Amino acid sequence: GTLRLPLAGQHGLERRDAAGRLWIHAAPPAAKCAIKEALAPVLARHPGLLLEDKGLTLALHYRLAPQLAAYAHRLMVRLVGAAGAGLEVQRGKSVAEVKPFGIDKGTAVTEYLAESPFRGRRPVFIGDDLNDEHGFAEVNKLDGISIKVGKGGSCARFRVRDVAAVRRWLGDALKGDIEQHAAGPAEDVELGHQPAHQAHAVALLGLRHRQRQMQGGSALVGIVGIDDQGLRQLPRGTGELGQDEDAALV
């Protein structure tokens, strides 16, 4: 059957719970429109800057013009200050994103763990971007497992090298054996012998996924990964991640 999981997107601003209900934290429309209008002449002057309207957020990408990184962040901070509507700027990989204040991947983790079937479980969070730090921090407070993918500073307790390592670790977890090597922020450590059925862990994965509209009850069909190769669609079937698994994607 179709894989259907609880799913949070856009930094936790939209979230589908285990019962299929959709929860949305929307940005003030007037403030969002004002910021878009102010950015129009900037985009005309700098074709390397790209504005993505995600519905609930506005993302200014500078991947094609990395020399404009500092300018892009200063600009978005200034526009958010002028809007004065409870917004903030979220830093990411080559992006400055405007979103409602105080909602992030960490709050999404908290909301899931307050609900069935996640209540009382030990969270696991895997991510590779700056916005995943909110999720890592919240999972750390809950004595969960936080895993940073790739290089860079992080508050995550564990680290894996790349997407291939994530795939291997997830594959072993699905088979009930997640003994995998990971490097922590300060020293080499191991995740240890922790079969999934003993850990009672809900997988809260901070991985960029194929965009799917959450409205209308559309199902998640796969995960697209955290580098240019990406994670291919996760396997489903007997003994693999299926509809009845207690997992959520953030």
Side-chain angles (χ1 to χ4, degrees):
T2 301
L3 178 66
R4 183 177 177 84
L5 295 172
L7 173 68
Q10 298 196 58
H11 313 286
L13 294 172
E14 54 181 349
R15 190 176 67 87
R16 185 174 63 214
D17 64 20
R21 294 169 297 192
L22 184 62
W23 304 85
I24 295 178
H25 303 275
K32 179 182 166 187
C33 288
I35 292 174
K36 285 184 70 174
E37 290 177 2
L39 286 172
V42 176
L43 297 172
R45 290 196 306 271
H46 303 287
L49 295 179
L50 301 175
L51 182 64
E52 180 184 8
D53 186 343
K54 297 183 178 181
L56 301 178
T57 68
L58 288 174
L60 184 62
H61 298 271
Y62 51 85
R63 189 177 302 277
L64 300 179
Q67 72 279 8
L68 296 177
Y71 168 72
H73 283 283
R74 287 197 307 269
L75 175 62
M76 294 296 261
V77 169
R78 178 170 62 80
L79 294 177
V80 162
L87 300 173
E88 65 180 345
V89 177
Q90 171 64 57
R91 289 178 175 266
K93 289 186 174 180
S94 299
V95 64
E97 190 165 357
V98 173
K99 68 178 187 67
F101 179 82
I103 307 298
D104 51 50
K105 294 185 179 184
T107 61
V109 170
T110 301
E111 289 170 352
Y112 275 122
L113 292 177
E115 302 169 349
S116 177
F118 307 120
R119 191 180 296 111
R121 301 295 183 93
R122 187 182 187 193
V124 177
F125 195 105
I126 309 171
D128 74 325
D129 207 342
L130 293 175
N131 54 36
D132 294 314
E133 294 300 316
H134 299 291
F136 294 150
E138 185 61 28
V139 165
N140 290 345
K141 286 191 287 186
L142 298 169
D143 194 31
I145 298 174
S146 54
I147 307 173
K148 165 73 172 178
V149 180
K151 298 179 180 179
S154 177
C155 69
R157 292 175 172 170
F158 302 96
R159 185 184 300 269
V160 293
R161 179 174 298 179
D162 52 25
V163 174
V166 174
R167 288 177 57 86
R168 289 192 298 271
W169 190 79
L170 287 174
D172 289 340
L174 294 176
K175 292 182 291 187
D177 177 12
I178 59 172
E179 181 184 9
Q180 284 290 333
H181 292 283
E187 58 183 338
D188 290 341
V189 296
E190 289 187 0
L191 294 179
H193 294 279
Q194 194 174 41
H197 66 279
Q198 293 179 5
H200 303 298
V202 48
L204 297 164
L205 309 180
L207 310 180
R208 293 193 292 276
H209 54 79
R210 208 184 302 270
Q211 284 192 335
R212 289 287 184 269
Q213 287 191 349
M214 296 176 66
Q215 290 78 4
S218 58
L220 175 74
V221 298
I223 296 175
V224 175
I226 46 183
D227 70 356
D228 292 336
Q229 280 77 37
L231 283 170
R232 299 186 181 276
Q233 185 168 319
L234 287 177
R236 300 194 296 274
T238 303
E240 296 169 340
L241 186 63
Q243 286 179 290
D244 297 329
E245 294 293 329
D246 296 336
L249 301 181
V250 177

